[in-house]
């Protein structure tokens, strides 16, 4: 029934004429069935008309609501369909999820990977290097976003793309091809089993369990930068990252000195620039400055009251990101964004992994042993990089054993492995025997060394296969001063197994370094998320 049909059946009386209103009142007073024109009308005509109008209104409202909800649902499905998903881990990794705090909360770790893929016309146009079209992508940007268990602080840690590391055995989930373990620069891990292999590489290097990964390519960066509307960045001198007689290539970034708002292709150029900043670690610093500025910009924008802006951001994000499958819905990505948004800017710290030049290749880097180890330890123990709340976080690293051992010390079997080798260090000969001997002296009569060669662990860890042996593993760790955060359940072992890592190459007891000052090593190039004064220096050959 249309609105015009209703009006024809029951025309509204002209109440502007005094007679109509008075006659209606008279009829009400007398109970007469006559209308003001003297014609009779059926009793109850008014109420039936009212009911029809109400029915029409309810029907129309229902159609509008269902139509809107249907469109919303279809749009939600459309956004979900935009998202590409993949396997969380495709490599041999041994990191274990952190234990929850007293409130039942766990830290959240997300690996952000910037791919240099040139497998589309758009990416070739933006990234150049047409000869590389069709080649497996490399992970040229790799950054771990760490949200503390209480969601009061966050950290962003980058590893430069040319850092040489151990890459574990990985299987590409799309092709089924298996790649053997190797030692190579970290950006090649993306080509050896996808983002899941890069995640496994990070876990083995850092000992930090990584919950999710996200990848974004050149075109995705441009879409996101445009959707945000621009981000403020700063250079102290005019910059032009272009080919020179000595160094080919360059991002093409060209800006005048000062603070400038960049978006689209220029934002991509900023994130890709390396030569003009002087090094790969300085490129990571520029990326941190961009992301910090982006987060500050998004905080200022009230996108949730602007449907157009919100739609643009949702479209850009879902079309630009590929994510690990367990967060492959709009709702889950939104929830992650809200958790990051809840952290104040001044509690976000970004830094690049402390590094040193690779003696085998001056173009490559290596983790700076003690400095990098300290950063990874702080992440594992959920110690804030800004030094705030450090006392509470420190208690977690000093927790007491939670399980009773299943047997006396002299009946606990312990296998000790020599895993002291690393990408830069040869294994310490006889290390497994020395630590096993120390355990025997402490009363663990069944401790023995493992003769397997070539094992590598960045940090010392005690593993156990079943819940029944957790107390035994904790007892072994406590006797040697190993923190309980390094006691892990693993299906890779058949009994309590102590892997003596590269962080314990000498001494009878493990030295668990406590954070000092703000906790970060002096070699860490850190930036606070609220610092809007940061500005990049331009390497002299690229000034104009």
């Amino acid at each position: 029934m249309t609105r015009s049909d209703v009006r024809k059946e029951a025309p509204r009386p002209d109440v502007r004429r005094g007679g109509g209103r008075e006659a209606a009142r008279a009829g009400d007073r007398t109970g007469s069935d006559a209308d003001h024109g003297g014609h009779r009308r059926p009793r109850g005509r008014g109420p039936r008309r009212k009911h029809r109008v109400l029915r029409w209104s309810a029907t129309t409202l229902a159609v509008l609501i269902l139509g809107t909800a249907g469109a919303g649902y279809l749009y939600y499905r459309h956004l979900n369909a935009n998202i590409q998903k993949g396997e969380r881990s495709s490599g041999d990794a041994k990191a274990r999820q952190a234990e929850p705090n007293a409130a039942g909360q766990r830290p959240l770790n997300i690996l952000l990977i910037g791919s240099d893929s040139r497998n589309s016309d758009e990416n070739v146009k933006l990234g150049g290097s047409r000869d590389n079209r069709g080649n497996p992508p490399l992970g040229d940007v790799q950054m771990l976003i760490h949200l503390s268990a209480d969601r009061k602080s966050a950290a962003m840690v980058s590893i430069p793309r040319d850092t040489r590391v151990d890459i574990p055995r990985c299987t590409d989930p799309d092709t089924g091809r298996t790649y053997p373990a190797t030692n190579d620069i970290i950006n090649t891990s993306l080509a050896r089993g996808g983002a899941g292999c890069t995640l496994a590489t990070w876990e083995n290097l850092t000992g930090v369990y990584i919950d999710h990964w996200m990848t974004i390519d050149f075109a995705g960066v441009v879409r996101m930068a445009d959707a945000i509307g621009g981000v403020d960045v700063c250079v102290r001198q005019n910059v032009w990252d272009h080919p020179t007689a000595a160094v080919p290539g360059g991002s093409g970034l060209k800006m005048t000195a000062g603070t400038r708002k960049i978006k689209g292709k220029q934002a991509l150029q900023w994130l890709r620039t390396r030569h003009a900043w002087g090094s790969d670690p300085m490129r990571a610093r520029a990326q941190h400055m961009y992301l910090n500025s982006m987060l500050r910009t998004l905080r200022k924008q009230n996108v949730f009251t602007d449907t157009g802006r919100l739609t643009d951001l949702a479209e850009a994000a879902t079309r630009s990101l590929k994510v690990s499958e367990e967060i492959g819905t709009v709702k889950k990505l939104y929830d992650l964004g809200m958790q990051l948004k809840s952290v104040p800017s001044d509690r976000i710290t970004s830094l690049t992994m402390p590094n040193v030049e690779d003696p085998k290749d001056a173009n490559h880097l290596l983790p700076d042993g003690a400095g990098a180890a300290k950063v990874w330890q702080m992440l594992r123990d959920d110690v804030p990089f800004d030094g705030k709340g450090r006392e509470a976080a420190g208690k977690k690293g000093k927790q007491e054993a939670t399980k009773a051992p299943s047997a006396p010390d002299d009946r606990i079997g312990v296998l000790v492995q020599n895993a002291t080798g690393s990408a830069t260090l040869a294994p310490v000969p006889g290390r497994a025997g020395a630590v096993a001997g120390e355990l025997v002296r402490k009363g663990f009569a069944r401790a023995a060394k493992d003769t397997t060669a070539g094992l590598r662990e960045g940090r010392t860890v005690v593993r156990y296969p079943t819940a029944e042996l957790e107390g035994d593993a904790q007892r072994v760790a406590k006797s040697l001063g190993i923190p309980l955060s390094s006691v892990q359940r693993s299906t890779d072992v058949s009994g309590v197994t102590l892997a003596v890592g590269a962080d314990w190459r000498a001494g009878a007891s493990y030295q668990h370094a406590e954070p000092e000052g703000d906790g970060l090593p002096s070699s860490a190039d850190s930036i606070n998320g609220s610092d809007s004064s940061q500005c990049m220096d331009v390497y002299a050959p690229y000034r104009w």
Side-chain angles (χ1 to χ4, degrees), residues 78-154:
H78 159 73
L79 292 177
N80 276 337
N82 282 346
I83 302 172
Q84 299 181 68
K85 298 179 283 290
E87 191 173 306
R88 188 193 74 85
S89 178
S90 56
D92 295 338
K94 301 180 177 67
R96 180 189 176 210
Q97 195 171 30
E99 293 297 326
N101 62 16
Q105 303 164 305
R106 282 190 172 95
L108 182 66
N109 295 297
I110 306 162
L111 183 61
L112 179 62
I113 305 168
S115 164
D116 76 345
S117 170
R118 292 173 173 83
N119 292 334
S120 70
D121 292 338
E122 193 174 8
N123 280 334
V124 169
K125 182 179 178 181
L126 291 168
S129 192
R130 297 177 183 276
D131 293 342
N132 289 327
R133 179 158 188 167
N135 291 347
L138 301 174
D140 279 354
V141 178
Q142 297 184 25
M143 186 181 305
L144 183 68
I145 301 172
H146 172 87
L147 291 178
S148 64
D150 60 10
R151 302 303 188 261
K152 292 181 179 179
S153 67

Side-chain angles (χ1 to χ4, degrees), residues 204-268:
N204 286 345
L205 175 67
T206 67
V208 176
Y209 180 88
I210 301 174
D211 302 271
H212 317 297
W213 56 256
M214 297 181 181
T215 65
I216 188 168
D217 60 13
F218 297 153
V221 169
V222 171
R223 281 194 294 267
M224 288 295 293
D226 283 338
I228 292 167
V231 168
D232 288 336
V233 296
C234 176
V235 288
R236 288 196 173 92
Q237 303 88 17
N238 295 348
V239 59
W240 185 17
D241 192 54
H242 66 292
T244 66
V247 182
S251 71
L253 178 70
K254 192 172 187 179
M255 292 173 55
T256 54
T259 299
R260 302 285 180 265
K261 187 179 292 292
I262 60 172
K263 61 181 181 178
K265 184 177 180 179
Q266 194 174 34
L268 175 64

Side-chain angles (χ1 to χ4, degrees), residues 150-173:
D150 60 10
R151 302 303 188 261
K152 292 181 179 179
S153 67
M156 295 189 293
V157 183
S158 292
I159 294 181
R161 69 171 190 172
D162 292 330
T163 303
R164 184 161 61 87
V165 298
D166 290 329
I167 300 174
R169 177 178 180 272
C170 293
T171 301
D172 190 314

Side-chain angles (χ1 to χ4, degrees), residues 353-387:
M353 175 197 72
N355 56 82
V356 295
E357 185 179 293
D358 185 352
K360 293 184 178 180
D361 187 337
N363 294 314
H364 294 166
L365 300 169
L366 293 171
D368 173 18
K374 193 170 188 181
V375 169
W376 307 144
Q377 176 195 316
M378 292 178 71
L379 289 174
R380 291 193 301 266
D381 293 344
D382 198 25
V383 176
F385 282 2
D386 59 8

